[in-house]
Amino acid sequence: MLIYERPEPVKKRAEQLKQPGEKVYIQPLEFRLYGGSYFWVRFDHGNHDWYLIVDKDGNVPRRDQKVDDLLIAGLSVGSAYNDLNFNEKMSKKKDDLILKKYLPLFRKVKEYISGRNPALLTDYDQFEKLVNTTIELQPKMRKGFKEIERLGKFFHRKRYITDELYEEFREVHYPTAKYGFLQGYEQVKSYPARKKVISYLFRSGKVVWALKLLYLHINFWSDKLESEQQKGFDNMHRIFIEGKRGEVEEYMLRHCRNPE
């Protein structure tokens, strides 16, 4: 029998463990993992959140590796369940196709800079690396988001996830997120270099070339991100560049309300 409503024992237990001033959010997915049936609960306290894993009968398992895995599963699967519009948007991005049309221009710019200002080639190479990274990774990212979108729609219809479905999700979720981040990483890292190349082209009288590259430049990220963007960027940097667990996951595990 599919569970479309949070079971009453789950809702009752969450209310019992709620602290004054907290709001309760129970993810509307049944996690049929590890041979059981579990629900992911978040207690919103305004400045900070707490998290809980509870089974369908309202029992709260003691904190162990299984509970930690279920907490992370709830967090990661939530990106497919809650972000359907975002997943659909990302599955349709075609910046790589636009950038391919600019490749002849980049070859001309490289030849021009090589002959007149070789010292600027390092900056040019960073700009070109951004373009090549996008052309290489965006088709892979697009394909991944299509799969995540498909799984997210399934979760919405069925409201459950099994071991097999979770494994399928994990196989596509991590690499897809990495493909997306690496494009943003190159955008942020190349920002000063892009400015130098475009400024040089303007000063050298190559105004048409400069304007075309400026169009790309202003549509890429700068190295000055807004606060929430920066937090997300830093979290992804920890995961994909530093090889560490994300700060969001660390925070959630530090704020687990399951007893030791």
Side-chain angles (χ1 to χ4, degrees), residues 125-140:
D125 287 343
Q126 289 188 50
F127 201 161
E128 186 181 59
K129 184 180 179 184
L130 161 62
V131 172
N132 290 335
T133 298
T134 305
I135 290 173
E136 176 191 358
L137 297 184
Q138 196 161 107
K140 299 177 183 179

Side-chain angles (χ1 to χ4, degrees), residues 208-226:
V208 174
W209 289 3
L211 287 173
K212 288 181 177 180
L213 294 187
L214 180 62
Y215 172 77
L216 296 181
H217 173 68
I218 62 178
N219 283 284
F220 288 135
W221 283 0
S222 76
D223 56 359
K224 301 288 191 297
L225 302 179
E226 295 180 2

